[in-house]
Amino acid sequence: MTSPSEQPALTGTLIFDLGSDDSRCVEPPVLDVPPIPLDEVLGASRRSAPALPHVTEVDIARHYERLASTNFGVDSGFYPLGSCTMKYNPKINEWACRLPGFADLHPYQPASTVQGALELMWGLQEALAEVSGLPAVTLQPAAGAHGELAGLLAIRAYHTDRGDARTRVLVPDSAHGTNPATVAMCGYEAVQVPSDERGGVDLGALRRLLGTDVAAIMLTNPNTLGLFDENILAITAAAHEAGALAYCDGANLNAILGKTRPGDMGFDALHINLHKTFSTPHGGGGPGAGPVAVTDTLAPYLPGPLVARDTDGRFSLADPARSIGRMRSFLGNFGVLVRAYTYIRATGADGLTDVAEQAVLSANYLKVLLHEAWPLPYDRTCMHEFVLSGSRLRKEHGVRTLDVAKRLLDYGIHPPTVYFPLIVDEALMIEPTETESKATLDRFAAVLLRIAEEAAEDPGLLQAAPYTTPVRRLDEAAAIKQPDLAWRPSPDS
Ligand SMILES: *Cc1c(COP(=O)(O)O)cnc(C)c1O
């Protein structure tokens, strides 16, 4: 195993700190027309020169190269961020979405002039319908949470149309935080359903909570513990019996691609995060796409436009009859749609099934390597991810999961998701994905086992980590709530 790299900490130099007043990147040609003072044209709106950096071209190139290499991404190292599916994103996706025939389209072009783009979207709708087992698909939503909103608004419109005023949505306690947030945004009350001792939905509790006031149940399967709910058919049937619909958070389909389908499990609606399962580089807020697939019953409520293939083989855009309206401008996040379609076609149907098998195998392999040193609150065969608890390290050595996460950075590994799901104490949620080699998985396990030893030998080492990153420990709340991301000129410049 390699030790933490000795890379010197990078400073936070800004482009404005570089160069000098007489450095130039571009030297404009000598003027061969009479000069026109801008003041005469624009009025005296600017009294001093704009505060632009003065930097040579080579210094610009180095500056941005340094920033790019300071960033950590899937292309720089292992990134087992649970629930986020940080799989390798094949470069052919990038090639396809940059083809001028896609990249240079104007969103106001008439449908007759963008037939190729519409055909791609139609093909993607069809593929996602097949993968999900649900016949109608909208590509509008721009993220997973956005898809949840679209799906739940469609469910609300369905109940409203039937004159059935329902007020509550049931959400398991293991749910992704976006689920209860979506419920609240739709004007419903989120009601928490407890998990049972096997990590699934507590079916008895669910049955007790279901009633004529429940509009929907909203859950993830496999759930955020990485566990497939063995009672899923009974769960969706119980919802339907009570007149509620079943919404599946399908942000992450990696474990079930080609194996089983949410539609076959009895779900009425689901969103799919293309940027996760279908491989678009994501993180830091974008880009994404969260298409929604629904049953025929919910299809009339989907946000449009949907792409239809007409009898003459041409493609056109249409809004469903009782559509909840637009979720996004134009045709959705088109570049992400091209990447997802490319990924699906390049991988093929058999390949997608392989994705699921490999993802599940990788997760179970890692789980077995780690589960003695790192307790697993729900120790079952897992799907695409599993959740360890750092509670023993905390109790025995005063080392928290946060310290472990920070220490992993010193070993060049992106930490797993931590402190989620909320029902696991000191949680580490690990999703290796299908694209990692056995050697990478072995090294990661060795590093985590080494860190457990470090915790016993020298807890202070972990509590002060990381040592090799450009910045050490940030105020996590301030970093989120008051991010300092943009340079502003000082008032006197
Ligand atoms: C990622 C994720 C979401 C949210 O998706 P965004 O695209 O980040 O809005 C919702 N649910 C689950 C289970 C997820 O993993």
Side-chain angles (χ1 to χ4, degrees), residues 130-470:
E130 183 59 37
V131 159
S132 63
L134 290 162
V137 175
T138 177
L139 302 176
Q140 275 265 300
H146 206 207
E148 291 173 29
L149 182 64
L152 213 54
L153 286 176
I155 288 176
R156 195 180 71 175
Y158 158 82
H159 286 302
T160 306
D161 257 7
R162 292 158 44 95
D164 193 354
R166 292 173 177 247
T167 54
R168 315 170 93 193
V169 173
L170 307 186
V171 184
D173 56 8
S174 62
H176 195 271
T178 50
N179 294 183
T182 299
V183 170
M185 291 225 11
C186 290
Y188 287 123
E189 182 196 347
V191 178
Q192 189 165 301
V193 187
S195 300
D196 65 15
E197 69 288 345
R198 287 184 55 76
V201 171
D202 182 330
L203 197 53
L206 179 84
R207 289 207 168 104
R208 283 191 292 280
L209 289 167
L210 278 166
T212 54
D213 58 346
V214 174
I217 59 166
M218 191 170 192
L219 55 96
T220 310
N221 195 30
N223 65 19
T224 61
L225 294 163
L227 302 175
F228 193 90
D229 203 307
E230 299 146 322
N231 297 321
I232 192 61
L233 293 175
I235 291 168
T236 53
H240 291 149
E241 251 160 65
L245 296 186
Y247 184 93
C248 181
D249 177 340
N252 195 330
L253 292 184
N254 235 31
I256 61 169
L257 280 176
K259 292 286 175 187
T260 179
R261 310 189 302 174
D264 301 340
M265 299 177 205
F267 285 105
D268 302 282
L270 125 130
H271 74 270
I272 303 167
N273 282 17
L274 297 186
H275 43 293
K276 293 181 181 170
T277 313
F278 296 102
S279 119
T280 283
H282 59 286
V292 173
V294 297
T295 55
D296 286 324
T297 307
L298 286 175
Y301 304 100
L302 282 181
L306 269 51
V307 182
R309 186 165 67 171
D310 305 330
T311 42
D312 60 0
R314 312 273 302 165
F315 298 91
S316 60
L317 294 165
D319 285 316
R322 316 264 317 138
S323 175
I324 58 167
R326 295 284 162 108
M327 293 296 290
R328 195 185 180 283
S329 53
F330 307 117
L331 303 183
N333 209 351
F334 184 67
V336 176
L337 307 182
V338 179
R339 288 180 179 91
Y341 184 75
T342 307
Y343 176 76
I344 289 170
R345 296 306 298 255
T347 309
D350 291 346
L352 292 180
T353 309
D354 283 349
V355 164
E357 290 175 3
Q358 284 297 325
V360 170
L361 183 60
S362 297
N364 280 284
Y365 178 68
L366 262 187
K367 183 176 80 83
V368 168
L369 292 183
L370 291 169
H371 80 296
E372 267 170 37
W374 293 84
L376 253 121
Y378 300 93
D379 198 355
R380 288 167 48 191
T381 301
C382 66
M383 295 289 116
H384 57 293
E385 63 194 5
F386 58 98
V387 180
L388 304 176
S389 170
S391 58
R392 189 195 293 164
L393 286 200
R394 184 169 190 189
K395 223 172 290 144
E396 291 175 6
H397 312 298
V399 166
R400 300 202 58 199
T401 284
L402 181 70
D403 305 322
V404 174
K406 297 297 182 193
R407 185 62 177 150
L408 276 167
L409 297 171
D410 288 331
Y411 287 96
I413 294 171
H414 195 288
T417 300
V418 293
Y419 299 103
F420 176 75
L422 303 176
I423 55 174
V424 174
D425 188 36
E426 296 287 328
L428 283 130
M429 181 200 222
I430 298 169
E431 180 183 10
T433 83
E434 74 283 8
T435 57
E436 298 299 333
S437 67
K438 178 172 174 293
T440 298
L441 302 181
D442 286 337
R443 173 166 186 272
F444 173 66
V447 167
L448 260 191
L449 297 176
R450 175 72 198 120
I451 289 176
E453 286 168 11
E454 287 177 347
E457 291 159 8
D458 182 4
L461 176 77
L462 270 61
Q463 284 152 350
Y467 301 93
T468 59
T469 46

